[in-house]
Amino acid sequence: MTASKLSVAVIGPGAIGGTIAAWISRSPLVGELTLCVRTPLDRLVVEAPDGTILKVAPRVVTDPGQITAPVDWVLVATKAYDVAAAALWLKPLLGPETRVAVLQNGVEHVERFAPFLPADRIVPVIVDVPAERTAPGRIQHRRNGTVTVPAGEAGEAFVALFAGSVIEASTTDDFLTAAWTKLSLNCAGAVNALTGRPGGVVRAPGIADLMREMVWECVRVGRAVGADLGDTIPDWVVERAMTSPADSVNSLLGDRLAGRPMEWDARNGVIVRLGHIHDVATPVNAMATTLLAAVGWQADI
Ligand SMILES: NC(=O)c1ccc[n+]([C@@H]2O[C@H](COP(=O)([O-])OP(=O)(O)OC[C@H]3O[C@@H](n4cnc5c(N)ncnc54)[C@H](OP(=O)(O)O)[C@@H]3O)[C@@H](O)[C@H]2O)c1
């Protein structure tokens, strides 16, 4: 670890990891930046929302054996279903004070990584940074966006990495509610992946009501685990869908159309699993989860 500047490793520099890595490399606090990749890349080229091109050439490693020293910060930005593989990087990266920020969708950031390090060194991050990868290391950052972390010393330290970035980083005193609010928005996106149709499908007969019920289930489960979710959230989610561009493609649909695995468990399965534990009925999310899982199912015979 460096005494003056912070060493940072990003596991999974795809759309989010690559965008964040490019921006935090501008922070005066950040020294050595390492990208831990699955698919090799030469450097990061990120087109910012204002058209500026950020070019960064950090150290790129393709195997955990290439890591020679622990770092101050690990930022994990793989998809939620790639946690087991992402965790293989952690052993050589973790020192006694290393913090691990988890930049993924869902509400189980800490639970996913708690098997690998003490929970108080894990910083869960709510990411609202629209970005797309066009090739390994080539990213279109669409809107400045925000990252939100729990209040406290670790959260403040994470926010400090964003000095010099257009991404607005902040802490919240009620991370649980913030994460479940984002999940309320995300869970309704299953409708697009299931129908194979972009945002405009919300106007099809019955779809707005279906989305509203899906979100209500999320709200009821979120309340059962302690989130402070208001009655207006289901209508807010549907209203957002109604006013979004009809051709907008959420990441679940994008992944389905591209034949990639989908984050259905982090976005809908979690509602069903926690609903079971807290005795909250979740039939709509259960059906969505079963059908989305079946899309990627491979028969053994
Ligand atoms: N993109 C957005 O606009 C957006 C917005 C909000 C939240 N999020 C959330 O952010 C998270 C990341 O999404 P994303 O869109 O950035 O996904 P992505 O573009 O698919 O990036 C994921 C990256 O993880 C890499 N990866 C997977 N397994 C790995 C391993 N074992 N070692 C090293 N790298 C590994 C992938 O490598 P390959 O290059 O080999 O595929 C890819 O570069 C997700 O939870 C997503 O829901 C995304």
Side-chain angles (χ1 to χ4, degrees):
M1 295 188 206
T2 54
S4 48
K5 293 206 172 197
L6 298 169
S7 51
V8 180
V10 178
I11 302 175
I16 293 303
T19 301
I20 302 281
W23 281 110
I24 67 166
S25 72
R26 297 157 66 106
S27 165
L29 291 179
V30 173
E32 191 179 21
L33 177 64
T34 303
L35 304 183
C36 304
V37 306
R38 179 171 64 180
T39 303
L41 54 89
D42 52 355
R43 60 187 177 147
L44 289 174
V45 180
V46 176
E47 183 173 349
D50 70 355
T52 309
I53 307 289
L54 311 182
K55 293 183 182 167
V56 191
R59 181 173 176 233
V60 177
V61 290
T62 54
D63 186 291
Q66 295 169 278
I67 307 283
T68 51
V71 294
D72 297 304
W73 275 98
V74 176
L75 275 47
V76 183
T78 64
K79 290 277 177 58
Y81 49 71
D82 275 328
V83 165
L88 297 176
W89 290 98
L90 291 179
K91 197 169 176 195
L93 289 171
L94 293 185
E97 294 182 10
T98 305
R99 286 183 166 132
V100 175
V102 180
L103 298 100
Q104 291 176 334
N105 267 331
V107 292
E108 298 177 302
H109 308 72
V110 176
E111 288 84 346
R112 278 182 217 127
F113 284 87
F116 311 111
L117 74 158
D120 62 1
R121 288 203 271 131
I122 303 171
V123 179
V125 187
I126 301 168
V127 182
D128 179 14
V129 179
E132 285 159 34
R133 194 162 46 136
T134 52
R138 305 293 185 270
I139 297 155
Q140 178 87 47
H141 175 194
R142 299 250 174 232
R143 171 169 55 76
N144 290 358
T146 63
V147 288
T148 309
V149 291
E153 201 234 323
E156 298 294 347
F158 180 79
V159 166
L161 299 176
F162 287 79
S165 166
V166 299
I167 299 168
E168 189 189 327
S170 64
T171 62
T172 172
D173 290 333
D174 190 354
F175 185 84
L176 184 72
T177 296
W180 277 88
T181 302
K182 174 93 192 284
L183 186 67
S184 300
L185 203 54
N186 278 345
C187 73
V191 166
N192 305 95
L194 284 167
T195 58
R197 301 189 64 175
V201 77
V202 66
R203 293 191 173 74
I207 293 292
D209 285 341
L210 184 69
M211 286 171 77
R212 204 175 276 109
E213 188 46 37
M214 201 169 234
V215 180
W216 263 120
E217 291 179 2
C218 180
V219 167
R220 290 185 201 111
V221 177
R223 286 174 177 170
V225 300
D228 183 15
L229 301 169
D231 286 351
T232 56
I233 287 185
D235 283 342
W236 168 70
V237 172
V238 170
E239 179 62 20
R240 272 186 61 133
M242 287 283 189
T243 52
S244 293
D247 60 355
S248 59
V249 173
N250 67 34
S251 70
L252 213 57
L253 173 58
D255 285 341
R256 179 169 182 190
L257 294 175
R260 293 186 293 257
M262 291 180 277
E263 284 185 308
W264 50 264
D265 184 63
R267 296 168 63 126
N268 299 91
V270 62
I271 296 168
V272 180
R273 285 187 279 107
L274 294 179
H276 276 304
I277 291 170
H278 293 277
D279 208 15
V280 178
T282 58
V284 183
N285 280 281
M287 177 180 267
T289 301
T290 303
L291 292 174
L292 288 170
V295 170
W297 175 71
Q298 301 289 333
D300 291 334
I301 49 170

